[in-house]
Amino acid sequence: MKIPQAIRTWLLLTLLSTPVLADYSQSELAQVAEQTTWLKLLKYEGEGNSQKSAVFSEEFFFADNGSTDPEAELAATLIAFSSPLQPAYDDKGELLEGLKGENVSKDQHPQCRFRGRYTWLKTQFDLSTIEEINCPAFEEWSADVDSISFILATGYLNNPASFYGHTLLKLNTRSEDHTSSQSSNRLLDQSVNYGAIIPDGENPFVYIVKGISGFYEAGFTHKEFYYHDHNYGDGQLRDQWEYELNLTPEEVQLVTAHAWELLGRKYDYYFFTRNCAYRMAELFEVVDGVEFKPDRTFMLPQAFFQELSQARHNGEPLIREVYYHPSKQQILYNSYLNLNGEQQEITHNLIATGDFRNNTDYQTQPTDKRQIITDTVMNYYQFAEVAVEGKRSSYEPTAPQYSAALKERFRLPVGTPELDTEIPAAPHNGRNPSLLRLSGKHLTPANKTGIQLLVRPAYYDALDAREGHVKNGQLAMGTIAASIYDDALRLDYFDLINISSVNNAVTYLPGDRGFAWKLRAGAIRQTESCDHCVIPRFSGSFGKARALFDQNMMIAGYVGGALQDNLNDAGYAYVSAGADLLLHLAPVDIKLSSEARQHIDSDWADEYDHSAELRFETSTNSELRIVGRHNRGSSITAGYGVYW
C-alpha cells in the first residue's frame, strides 16, 4: 500500500527523532545484519560490497541505501517499528475517522506492512519497549493458517507463459478436508502467485524474447485459491499437484508473514532463471535450514519439485504429503473409462438427448452404473464449457441435457461408486529436464561415419515425455545437434523452439476429438546428403490424432508449411502433408514420421522426409536412442543420453 508523500515526510521526521537504537549496541546491529535470514528477508543477491536486493520497489526499504546496505536497513527498520501510529487518509487525501480510520492507520504501520521482518526480529532483539501494533488486514488474511503447500499446475502448450508448468503457494487453513479437490475450505484458502506483468494481448513470440531477456517486471500477488483452481483445472484443463510442507507452526507463521510483506513488490523477471519456481523457493529460505533451489542454469518447475522431494528439515522430509487434483478433463476421462462399450454408447446418447427417463438401455443398467453414467454426462458438460470452441451455448452446464442429468442424479442414491482410476506418478518422480546425448552417425550414400553431440537444455520430446509432461507432446528449446566427420564440425540443426501437441482424445465427443499441431523455429540442414546447407526455417502444421490400443498408440495426420531461406533454389516456402505414429511399450518408445513437401516457386521436385526413432529407457535419467532419417540421402545415429 503506497503512503501519500505528506505522510511519508511526516513519518520520516518522527522516525529520526526516535531513540530506539540506543537500546542496541553497534556490534549487535552488525551481527544481526550479517545473518543469512536478514539478507534473505531483504532479497539480497551477490556478496560483500556487491550485494543488492532483487526487489527494486522503493517502498520496500526504509533507508535510502537499504537496497545495498543491510545494516543501514536494519537500523531504519527498528526505528520504523517503534514509530507511533500515523493518521489515516483516503485516496483523496482526506482524514479518515472512526473504526475505519483506526484500522487503516494500523495496517499502514511498518510493523504491519513488514510483518515478516517484525516476526523474525522479535527473535533477535528484545522489542518489549516497542508497542506491538495489531494488524487487522494481516490477521484476517492469515487467520487459521496451519500449513503451507506448493501447487504445481502441469504444463500447458497453448500459452508460452505456462509451457513448463506453474508454481503457486497455498496457505492451508485449519480443516480436515482442505486437500479434497472439491472442498470449499480448500478453494477459499489464500494463494500467493509470482509472475511477470504482461500487457494484454502480448504476442507469444514477443513474450518469449522479452521473458528470456528480462524485459518484464514481476511480483507477488494473492487471491483465493478457487481463482487459480478454476483458471488451471477448469479453464485450461491442467492437472494440479499439491505438496504440503512439513513445517513447525512458528515456521508457518514466518513464511506467511514474509509472503505478506512481498505482495506488490517489483522484481525483474527472467523466464528460465528468476521465474516463479526460483522466487517461491527463495521465499522459504527465511526458515533456518531450508534451502531447495536447484543449482542449475535453468530453473524449471519440475527440477524445483525434484529438489523439494529430496529436502529434509528438522530431521524429517520437508514434504509432508502429496495430493493429486485432476482437471475437469481428467475427471471426465476417469468416469468414462469406468464404463464398458455399451455403457459408453448410452452415455453418448444421453449427452446428445438428455432423455434419461425414456432410455431403456440406461434404465436397465445396475444402480452403480447409472450413477457413473449420470456423473459422466455432468462431467462432460463441465468439460465442454471450455473445450468446445464456438459452441458454448450448446455445450455448457446451462444446457438442457445437463439439467436433465442433474435431476436424474438427485433421483439416484447419494454417493458415488468407487472408480477404478490410475493416479499418475507425481512430477517429482520424473527424470531431470535437460539432455546430453553422444551418438555415432553414418551417412549414405556419402559413406561417412562420425560422431554427433546433442544438447537439449529443456525439456522433453514425444518419446521421453514422462511425469509432469504433456503426454505425446514435445517442448524443446535451445536444442543443438552437431556432427564431426572428415575432421570437420557440421551443424545438423538448432531448434530455438520445437513444440508439438498430440491431444489424447478418449471420448471423441465434441471438444475431445484429438487435435494435433506442430511449431518449429530454428536452423536445419536442408537434406541428409548436402554439406554447408544449414538454413533458417519456420514451420508449422495442424491436424487430427487418434489413440489406438488403450492410448498406447497414437496416429496423427497433418497439413502445414514452412518459410525458409532460398539456398540451392529450394524456394522461400513449401506446403506439406504428413503423418506420425507413436507407440509406447515401456521401456521402449517408437516414433515413425513421414512428410511430403511441395516447394513454391522452386526448381526442386517434390521432397519427402521420412524418419524412424526408437528410445530405450535404461534408467530414470539415461537412455539409448536410435534415429534413422531419409531425405535425398540417409543417416542413422545410435547413442547414449543422460538427463541432467
Side-chain angles (χ1 to χ4, degrees), residues 1 70-71 96 122 124 218 228 251 315 351 387 491 496 504 510 579 612:
M1 182 180 297
E71 187 173 347
L96 290 171
K122 285 197 301 182
Q124 305 299 307
H228 296 294
E251 291 166 345
I351 286 171
L491 178 67
L496 177 64
N504 299 325

Side-chain angles (χ1 to χ4, degrees), residues 20-222:
V20 64
L21 292 184
D23 295 337
Y24 317 111
S25 68
Q26 186 65 34
S27 61
E28 283 182 292
L29 292 174
Q31 184 178 14
V32 172
E34 293 174 356
Q35 289 198 36
T36 300
T37 300
W38 179 246
L39 301 178
K40 296 296 185 182
L41 282 166
L42 297 177
K43 304 306 170 194
Y44 282 111
E45 297 178 342
E47 297 181 358
N49 295 330
S50 64
Q51 64 185 358
K52 184 177 181 180
S53 176
V55 178
F56 60 79
S57 301
E58 291 183 2
E59 62 272 18
F60 190 64
F61 307 99
F62 292 107
D64 290 341
N65 58 341
S67 64
T68 58
D69 189 334
E71 187 173 347
E73 184 62 21
L74 175 59
T77 298
L78 289 170
I79 294 174
F81 284 167
S82 67
S83 65
L85 287 172
Q86 57 182 297
Y89 295 85
D90 62 18
D91 294 338
K92 297 180 180 179
E94 297 180 359
L95 182 66
L96 290 171
E97 298 180 353
L99 182 61
K100 180 180 180 181
E102 179 184 344
N103 285 346
V104 171
S105 178
K106 290 179 177 179
D107 290 331
Q108 289 180 347
H109 193 277
Q111 289 184 26
C112 298
R113 292 189 295 114
F114 293 89
R115 202 62 185 172
R117 294 190 200 181
Y118 183 72
T119 299
W120 182 73
L121 286 176
K122 285 197 301 182
T123 68
Q124 305 299 307
F125 295 108
D126 179 8
L127 301 183
S128 59
T129 59
I130 295 177
E131 179 187 0
E132 183 163 3
I133 305 300
N134 178 43
C135 306
F138 173 73
E139 295 300 331
E140 180 181 0
W141 187 76
S142 61
D144 296 326
V145 172
D146 71 339
S147 69
I148 297 176
S149 295
F150 280 120
I151 303 291
L152 172 63
T154 54
Y156 181 59
L157 296 183
N158 290 338
N159 182 353
S162 300
F163 280 166
Y164 297 98
H166 188 62
T167 308
L168 294 165
L169 190 70
K170 188 162 76 69
L171 307 178
N172 305 320
T173 54
R174 295 186 179 92
S175 169
E176 293 182 357
D177 62 348
H178 76 268
T179 54
S180 169
S181 295
Q182 305 302 318
S183 168
S184 59
N185 289 332
R186 169 183 174 267
L187 297 178
L188 291 175
D189 286 343
Q190 286 289 337
S191 63
V192 178
N193 180 48
Y194 179 85
I197 302 172
I198 305 170
D200 292 338
E202 186 80 292
N203 181 283
F205 291 101
V206 172
Y207 167 78
I208 292 173
V209 173
K210 292 175 68 175
I212 292 173
S213 306
F215 284 101
Y216 287 120
E217 293 181 355
F220 288 93
T221 58
H222 71 104

Side-chain angles (χ1 to χ4, degrees), residues 317-387:
L318 183 55
I319 295 177
R320 177 180 297 163
E321 195 62 74
V322 179
Y323 305 95
Y324 172 58
H325 303 299
S327 67
K328 280 189 174 179
Q329 182 178 43
Q330 194 57 50
I331 291 172
L332 168 64
Y333 290 173
N334 289 344
S335 59
Y336 186 84
L337 293 174
N338 273 264
L339 302 172
N340 62 31
E342 177 190 2
Q343 293 159 352
Q344 290 175 354
E345 185 175 345
I346 293 171
T347 302
H348 279 243
N349 181 272
L350 292 173
I351 286 171
T353 66
D355 190 2
F356 289 82
R357 306 303 293 169
N358 297 314
N359 190 312
T360 305
D361 292 334
Y362 166 77
Q363 293 294 340
T364 57
Q365 294 294 320
T367 299
D368 61 337
K369 293 301 182 183
R370 280 185 285 146
Q371 289 175 310
I372 298 175
I373 290 171
T374 306
D375 287 344
T376 303
V377 174
M378 292 191 294
N379 292 339
Y380 170 72
Y381 276 98
Q382 292 175 357
F383 156 79
E385 183 179 12
V386 297

Side-chain angles (χ1 to χ4, degrees), residues 239-254:
D239 291 344
Q240 298 171 73
W241 290 89
E242 178 174 352
Y243 291 74
E244 186 180 6
L245 302 185
N246 192 13
L247 300 174
T248 67
E250 294 75 20
E251 291 166 345
V252 169
Q253 181 186 28
L254 176 59

Side-chain angles (χ1 to χ4, degrees), residues 505-611:
V506 172
T507 67
Y508 295 99
L509 289 160
D512 184 37
R513 288 180 173 163
F515 291 105
W517 56 270
K518 298 180 180 181
L519 186 66
R520 186 176 185 180
I524 191 169
R525 187 176 298 278
Q526 277 184 314
T527 72
E528 292 301 285
S529 61
C530 66
D531 282 328
H532 309 293
C533 58
V534 174
I535 58 171
R537 177 181 291 172
F538 174 83
S539 61
S541 55
F542 183 80
K544 295 289 291 289
R546 187 173 183 86
L548 305 172
F549 305 110
D550 194 27
Q551 306 295 310
N552 288 324
M553 179 182 289
M554 291 290 297
I555 186 168
Y558 302 88
V559 293
L563 300 175
Q564 62 182 13
D565 184 81
N566 189 31
L567 183 68
N568 297 322
D569 296 320
Y572 289 102
Y574 65 75
V575 294
S576 63
D580 290 343
L581 176 68
L582 290 165
L583 181 62
H584 302 288
L585 300 172
V588 175
D589 301 274
I590 298 172
K591 180 180 180 181
L592 305 177
S593 299
S594 183
E595 184 173 84
R597 301 166 181 166
Q598 176 64 56
H599 292 262
I600 298 173
D601 192 24
S602 167
D603 294 334
W604 279 36
D606 293 345
E607 180 185 2
Y608 297 93
D609 194 318
H610 311 294
S611 65

